[in-house]
Amino acid sequence: MVTPPSADGTTLALSFEGGETVPVVLREERSPETCAAICDALPIEELAYHSRWSGREVNVSVSVDSTIPPEDRTAHTSVGDVVYWRDWQLPTEEAPEAIAVYYGPETTRGPQGPLSVTPFGHVPPAHWEPLESVGERIWREGGERLTLRVDGE
């Protein structure tokens, strides 16, 4: 299980087309380069889909910064984890990138098996219920627009 970040960190807002908005507290102390690259790419507005391989996860393809080094990687996520994934085995210019949000504890996987991801943010427990509702809705109904931005902007 990944421990939550401190409550006084930088906070982003994660909004969904269905009207839900949840805070994402950044893990700047554990993934500083990833957090900086994500913040530099904001706002991110993409179509989110449910994961076929990793269970209770919705994700978006992004083009953030394919030079981000692996930081604090894990293959095990907890409810509320927000992670960055890139195929670090491919050449930098060819590597796909994604941001994923977990509404249940999971082992991250792809078609080849377990994958490692960089947890860079966490949705606080008070917001897990709407996160689960969004995840289940996307799972049942298909893609939905997601926006990640600095909180208050």
Side-chain angles (χ1 to χ4, degrees), residues 6 9 20 144:
S6 65
E20 301 87 345
E144 181 173 314

Side-chain angles (χ1 to χ4, degrees), residues 49-134:
Y49 293 99
H50 201 277
S51 174
R52 180 176 184 93
W53 307 106
S54 292
R56 292 165 288 185
E57 169 205 325
V58 296
N59 64 68
V60 295
S61 293
V62 293
S63 181
V64 174
D65 178 355
S66 59
T67 64
I68 299 171
E71 294 182 294
D72 196 32
R73 292 187 341 180
T74 184
H76 304 285
T77 59
S78 296
V79 177
D81 281 343
V82 183
V83 305
Y84 169 78
W85 170 82
R86 188 185 83 174
D87 190 338
W88 280 277
Q89 296 179 15
L90 289 176
T92 300
E93 62 279 353
E94 298 174 22
E97 301 172 85
I99 291 176
V101 182
Y102 286 84
Y103 65 95
E106 298 292 346
T107 298
T108 58
R109 311 178 171 81
Q112 306 87 351
L115 297 172
S116 63
V117 297
T118 298
F120 72 86
H122 189 78
V123 175
H127 303 276
W128 288 354
E129 189 176 315
L131 192 61
E132 181 178 6
S133 295
V134 168

